[in-house]
Amino acid sequence: MVLEGTVLVGREFEPVEGRVVVEDGTIARIERDDVDSDDIILPAFVNAHTHIGDSIAKDAGAGLSLDELVAPPDGLKHRLLRDADRSELVAAMHRSLRYMRQGGTGAFVEFREGGVEGVEAIRDALEGVDIEPVVLGRETVEAMEAADGFGASGARDGDFSRERNATRTAGKLFGIHAGERDAMDINPALDLDPDFLVHMVHAEELHFERVEERGTPIVVCPRSNLVTKVGFPPVGDMLERTTVALGTDNVMLNSPSMFREMAFTMKLSDDRVTAPDVLRMATVAGADLAGLNCGCIEPDRDARLLVLDGDSDNLSGYRDPVRAVVRRASVSDVKRVTRPGEFDGDSGGT
């Protein structure tokens, strides 16, 4: 299989006119050449933090505080999840996952409420949707064992030492919310030696020193943070210290669109944050923290790729393809989202 156009190559997203050659679901090589295509080819997005179960309650809870909306066990979302019919929940999650896929997302990292049953429900919701899941169970060790790891609500909600130790023993991923409301739960979260942190809106210098020393990645969700009025994450400070990935957080609060998240992050961040920074946050940074072999166009990576129409009414006339992708592109510009399985047995021909 061959995809032609302007290819955004490597971690720096160097624009290369030419083609991507895919063999058996893997990027075999990138060839420079004059081609007759206006397409822009980039890695499919990795949405590094989602709560897809919230799909049953889109835009519920107007005017409520963060705790009233999402704090366990009795925040609005948790009450709605407990009361939801399973078939309704699965159908709603399926539609959100399908929308994510249509919008260029090739993989996502989900904090899945509901214990083992919640993990099983999202597995059912994924049926027929070609998107790579990393599902982190919540509430119990059993949920972690049924999933790809454990997603902790936050150190202020309890002691997660048992869950952390069990997750480490199982060799799985452990993530935790921290620094969303204030800075009080950041050090306790770091004491657990997590594989990554989520939010860190209120991180201070001493926390960044610990993050940098340990190399702990951070996932930021700027639209969610402003909706809940907790502030805007210090993305520039984070990028100077560690790997930063991008997530859309609760479907209750925002659509799971990485295009919207990138544009919002880019336009509200300071001048230290560049378009390539934000595109890395939306692709390879999330892939790296989740242990996925996608998120970057280079040989031997999985061929989870996104093809945009560079001659759409929206993108026609762009001067910088990376800035155009980050600041301007939308779901309507998507021509194709590839997955490795569709190339099985392909020898590389057109």
Side-chain angles (χ1 to χ4, degrees):
M1 175 65 68
V2 173
L3 301 174
E4 295 186 337
T6 298
V7 186
L8 304 186
V9 177
R11 290 175 180 265
E12 298 301 319
F13 306 109
E14 177 191 1
V16 172
E17 184 181 3
R19 59 185 63 88
V20 181
V21 180
V22 177
E23 297 177 355
D24 296 327
T26 301
I27 298 170
R29 59 190 178 275
I30 298 96
E31 299 176 345
R32 294 176 182 267
D33 199 0
D34 294 330
V35 297
D36 185 21
S37 173
D38 294 309
D39 290 348
I40 302 172
I41 304 164
L42 62 146
F45 302 128
V46 180
N47 190 336
H49 185 62
T50 62
H51 291 274
I52 301 299
D54 292 19
S55 300
I56 60 166
K58 295 173 183 174
D59 298 306
L64 298 182
S65 69
L66 177 62
D67 284 340
E68 291 170 330
L69 282 168
V70 300
D74 294 319
L76 176 62
K77 68 168 280 181
H78 296 283
R79 300 198 306 273
L80 293 173
L81 285 170
R82 285 195 295 270
D83 293 341
D85 175 79
R86 188 182 190 279
S87 61
E88 175 192 6
L89 175 63
V90 170
M93 290 194 295
H94 179 81
R95 296 192 72 166
S96 287
L97 291 165
R98 191 168 62 189
Y99 172 77
M100 288 167 63
R101 164 76 180 181
Q102 293 167 351
T105 296
F108 69 105
V109 181
E110 163 75 357
F111 276 38
R112 182 77 275 272
E113 297 84 1
V116 174
E117 294 79 9
V119 173
E120 293 172 346
I122 198 167
R123 299 291 189 202
D124 289 345
L126 281 157
E127 185 173 352
V129 184
D130 296 323
I131 189 169
E132 187 169 5
V134 178
V135 178
L136 306 186
R138 300 183 69 181
E139 288 108 20
T140 66
V141 169
E142 290 74 21
M144 176 275 293
E145 293 170 341
D148 302 305
F150 191 87
S153 58
R156 71 195 313 131
D157 298 323
D159 180 5
F160 289 97
S161 298
R162 176 173 176 270
E163 290 83 357
R164 178 62 182 116
N165 291 334
T167 306
R168 182 182 289 110
T169 299
K172 295 185 177 183
L173 199 63
F174 182 90
I176 185 169
H177 299 85
E180 186 174 12
R181 296 163 180 81
D182 53 46
M184 297 302 292
D185 61 351
I186 298 178
N187 277 328
L190 284 166
D191 289 343
L192 293 168
D193 192 23
D195 293 304
F196 66 94
L197 300 159
V198 182
H199 295 306
M200 295 288 279
V201 176
H202 297 284
E204 301 169 358
E205 178 61 24
L206 64 96
H207 305 125
F208 285 132
E209 290 175 359
R210 294 189 69 186
V211 162
E212 184 174 21
E213 180 181 0
R214 295 168 181 236
T216 308
I218 298 171
V219 181
V220 295
C221 310
R223 287 188 301 153
S224 171
N225 296 151
L226 284 194
V227 168
T228 57
K229 298 180 173 62
V230 299
F232 189 83
V235 178
D237 293 332
M238 294 176 182
L239 285 167
E240 291 176 354
R241 302 301 186 96
T242 190
T243 298
V244 184
L246 197 62
T248 59
D249 206 4
N250 302 73
V251 178
M252 173 191 285
L253 306 176
N254 291 293
S255 69
S257 168
M258 293 297 280
F259 286 115
R260 288 190 177 188
E261 203 71 41
M262 287 193 302
F264 188 86
T265 302
M266 180 79 237
K267 293 176 181 180
L268 269 71
S269 295
D270 63 38
D271 291 342
R272 291 176 295 170
V273 181
T274 66
D277 287 333
V278 174
L279 190 52
R280 268 189 296 275
M281 291 164 61
T283 55
V284 70
D288 286 350
L289 74 83
L292 302 175
N293 188 37
C294 59
C296 187
I297 298 182
E298 60 187 13
D300 300 322
R301 290 272 186 172
D302 292 344
R304 292 196 176 276
L305 304 172
L306 170 57
V307 182
L308 301 180
D309 180 3
D311 193 39
S312 69
D313 290 343
N314 180 38
L315 294 179
S316 177
Y318 73 83
R319 298 300 179 91
D320 181 327
V322 178
R323 281 176 60 85
V325 168
V326 170
R327 297 170 59 92
R328 183 176 299 276
S330 70
V331 173
S332 64
D333 301 311
V334 174
K335 290 183 67 174
R336 182 176 182 185
V337 187
T338 73
R339 62 180 179 87
E342 71 183 270
F343 303 108
D344 287 348
D346 196 324
S347 61
T350 55

